[in-house]
Amino acid sequence: MDALTSAQLGALRRGMEPYVVFNEAEWIVFIQHISVHNFKKKQLFAEAGKVCNHVGFVLKGSVRYYHIKDGADITNYFSFENDYVSSYTSFLTGEPALNYIEALEPSQIIVITKKNMELMLNNPMLAYRMERFGRLIAEHYLICYEDRVSSFITQTPEERYLKLLETGREVLQRMPQHYIANFLGITPVSLSRIRKRILTEK
Amino acid sequence: MDALTSAQLGALRRGMEPYVVFNEAEWIVFIQHISVHNFKKKQLFAEAGKVCNHVGFVLKGSVRYYHIKDGADITNYFSFENDYVSSYTSFLTGEPALNYIEALEPSQIIVITKKNMELMLNNPMLAYRMERFGRLIAEHYLICYEDRVSSFITQTPEERYLKLLETGREVLQRMPQHYIANFLGITPVSLSRIRKRILTEK
DNA sequence: ACGTTTTCTTATCTTTTGTTAACGTTTTGG
DNA sequence: CCAAAACGTTAACAAAAGATAAGAAAACGT
């Protein structure tokens, strides 16, 4: 856990700006309640069975959400740079998380603990801003998930794969294909066939 | 648009209680900013291409979310009694909605307009509560969508159908099957086959 | 550096789904 | 009340996906 650099703080502030704008005095108090952590590849950000008591903002790197079902590791979701990251339902409800979150590559993530979030919610100087910030995070996930549900209803697995590639994240080239297959809701074998189909269609 | 009965107000207050608790003075001001509307079957609550300037809470009845793609009507989602209802992304962003919302049956819905929401957000007496209320609605949709994404990844269409039936909503018996098929992400023909399979397996 | 594990592809076979069309039934609107 | 539209099921065929297994290549840990 290190102090944040001004570049990191700038990224966070820009990420929040569309929704929450702090004045200077508020910002100074806010940044006293956050920290930045460096995650090694495969290091866990959150763990199934444990309450997720923190929420993050990916400055650099990427993470993978997954759960274990019948002994198999199933990838649910990814967060890339400038995304929020959390087992947010667990963070909100205080129930144990259902999924793990791990770094896909060495990552820098700004972390706000629930305790610090609550301190800010109870600090009259920040309470109103923090309610708004909480709403922002929920809305961020909301819009992502809405898109995702819609993609399952209106697109084929092949279309979903091509759409994912269009984001141009190079980490997609490096991560195991079965993570992507899970994310798309298909088997790794099926993804391999889709990839071949795309190549030969070109 | 009618005044709300005390039973209706009680339902709303109970729906909000897990997250937002008003004191009596706050509640009196709050209820001056809301209204209840009766929707006929097929009457629109929100319309694609228009900004959704309101958010609702279903007291009685049910609604269907759908959009038109290549001339075809595709059902995305449902809200039943004691659910929130809105093209919430449009409500939040002020962008035109991408989907329609219509009543599946005669329905009573508590409506809060964006204007009244903003009046409350700017009223120091309610601002803090309203930030929290906004968060509540976002979180409601968040948890629903999270569940839904997870169901697409880990369940077969047949399992999703059986899970939907388990909710025991009788309106599921009465609405057209192709609404349900869309919602499950399959074709009406495929749903018909699944239904037959289930019957013969018994 | 080397043996193990993971990953990706390919093949085969089965199951499921999509597509289109037909047909009888039900619902709907004028 | 009647004609038109919408609906649900079924059939037939094509396309896609799941399951399983096998083999080669790459990544990993020690």
Side-chain angles (χ1 to χ4, degrees):
Chain A
M1 169 161 40
D2 306 306
L4 285 83
T5 68
S6 62
Q8 289 165 345
L9 286 170
L12 178 64
R13 199 167 187 177
R14 278 191 300 280
M16 296 179 70
E17 247 164 29
Y19 306 90
V20 191
V21 180
F22 293 95
N23 66 35
E24 289 308 314
E26 287 163 354
W27 183 249
I28 286 169
V29 178
F30 175 70
I31 64 177
Q32 286 165 358
H33 291 84
I34 68 184
S35 59
V36 62
H37 287 247
N38 288 300
F39 287 80
K40 294 175 198 162
K41 186 171 175 178
K42 300 208 175 185
Q43 190 179 339
L44 291 176
F45 178 90
E47 202 166 340
K50 296 187 180 176
V51 177
C52 180
N53 280 314
H54 48 293
V55 57
F57 180 83
V58 181
L59 287 171
K60 214 177 250 304
S62 51
V63 300
R64 171 175 85 98
Y65 299 55
Y66 67 99
H67 66 270
I68 307 291
K69 191 189 179 185
D70 305 328
D73 164 332
I74 309 286
T75 299
N76 285 312
Y77 199 64
F78 306 110
S79 289
F80 300 112
E81 284 175 23
N82 297 322
D83 280 343
Y84 295 95
V85 49
S86 181
S87 270
Y88 198 56
T89 302
S90 169
F91 180 83
L92 293 174
T93 62
E95 301 285 317
L98 301 177
N99 59 294
Y100 299 82
I101 304 178
E102 69 167 23
L104 278 165
E105 52 193 334
S107 302
Q108 280 192 325
I109 303 180
I110 286 174
V111 175
I112 308 178
T113 63
K114 183 145 191 166
K115 191 177 165 191
N116 276 336
M117 183 67 96
E118 280 165 1
L119 281 174
M120 291 189 278
L121 282 166
N122 291 319
N123 178 338
M125 188 182 195
L126 288 180
Y128 178 76
R129 299 280 190 235
M130 283 300 107
E131 286 291 347
R132 186 173 284 263
F133 182 53
R135 213 177 67 185
L136 161 66
I137 299 170
E139 289 166 7
H140 161 85
Y141 278 101
L142 172 64
I143 290 168
C144 291
Y145 280 130
E146 195 174 34
D147 247 35
R148 202 145 144 59
V149 168
S150 155
S151 79
F152 280 111
I153 289 187
T154 64
Q155 297 183 303
T156 63
E158 179 167 336
E159 286 168 333
R160 290 201 292 278
Y161 177 62
L162 290 170
K163 185 179 157 199
L164 181 64
L165 287 188
E166 277 167 19
T167 66
R169 315 273 183 186
E170 9 57 73
V171 68
L172 292 171
Q173 313 287 329
R174 297 194 309 271
M175 75 172 77
Q177 298 291 335
H178 66 263
Y179 293 176
I180 298 175
N182 291 160
F183 176 80
L184 297 173
I186 59 180
T187 62
V189 176
S190 188
L191 176 58
S192 180
R193 285 189 287 233
I194 287 171
R195 283 157 58 82
K196 188 178 185 182
R197 209 183 300 153
I198 291 169
L199 282 177
T200 58
E201 275 168 9
K202 269 183 185 166
Chain B
M1 170 161 41
D2 306 305
L4 285 82
T5 68
S6 61
Q8 289 165 345
L9 287 171
L12 178 64
R13 199 168 187 177
R14 277 191 300 280
M16 296 179 70
E17 246 166 31
Y19 307 90
V20 191
V21 180
F22 293 96
N23 67 36
E24 288 309 313
E26 289 163 354
W27 182 250
I28 286 167
V29 177
F30 175 70
I31 64 177
Q32 285 165 359
H33 291 85
I34 68 182
S35 60
V36 63
H37 287 248
N38 287 299
F39 288 81
K40 294 175 198 162
K41 186 172 175 176
K42 297 208 177 188
Q43 191 179 338
L44 290 177
F45 178 89
E47 201 166 341
K50 297 187 179 176
V51 177
C52 179
N53 279 314
H54 49 294
V55 58
F57 180 83
V58 181
L59 287 171
K60 214 179 250 301
S62 51
V63 301
R64 172 175 84 98
Y65 299 56
Y66 67 99
H67 66 270
I68 307 291
K69 191 188 179 186
D70 307 327
D73 164 333
I74 310 286
T75 299
N76 286 311
Y77 198 65
F78 305 109
S79 289
F80 301 111
E81 285 177 21
N82 297 321
D83 280 343
Y84 295 95
V85 50
S86 181
S87 270
Y88 198 58
T89 301
S90 168
F91 180 84
L92 293 174
T93 63
E95 301 286 316
L98 301 176
N99 60 293
Y100 300 82
I101 305 178
E102 69 167 24
L104 278 166
E105 53 192 333
S107 301
Q108 281 192 325
I109 303 180
I110 286 175
V111 174
I112 307 178
T113 64
K114 183 144 187 163
K115 192 178 165 189
N116 275 337
M117 184 67 95
E118 281 166 358
L119 281 175
M120 291 189 279
L121 281 167
N122 290 319
N123 177 339
M125 188 181 193
L126 289 179
Y128 179 75
R129 300 281 189 232
M130 284 300 106
E131 286 291 347
R132 187 173 283 261
F133 182 54
R135 214 177 66 185
L136 161 67
I137 298 170
E139 289 166 7
H140 162 85
Y141 277 101
L142 173 64
I143 291 168
C144 291
Y145 281 131
E146 196 175 34
D147 246 37
R148 205 146 142 58
V149 167
S150 155
S151 79
F152 279 112
I153 289 187
T154 62
Q155 297 184 302
T156 63
E158 179 167 333
E159 287 168 333
R160 290 201 292 279
Y161 176 62
L162 290 170
K163 185 178 155 198
L164 180 63
L165 287 187
E166 276 167 19
T167 65
R169 313 275 183 185
E170 8 58 73
V171 68
L172 291 171
Q173 313 287 331
R174 296 194 308 270
M175 74 172 78
Q177 297 291 335
H178 66 265
Y179 292 175
I180 297 175
N182 291 160
F183 176 80
L184 298 174
I186 58 178
T187 61
V189 176
S190 188
L191 176 58
S192 181
R193 283 189 288 232
I194 287 170
R195 284 156 58 82
K196 188 177 184 184
R197 210 183 301 153
I198 291 170
L199 282 177
T200 56
E201 273 168 12
K202 270 182 185 168

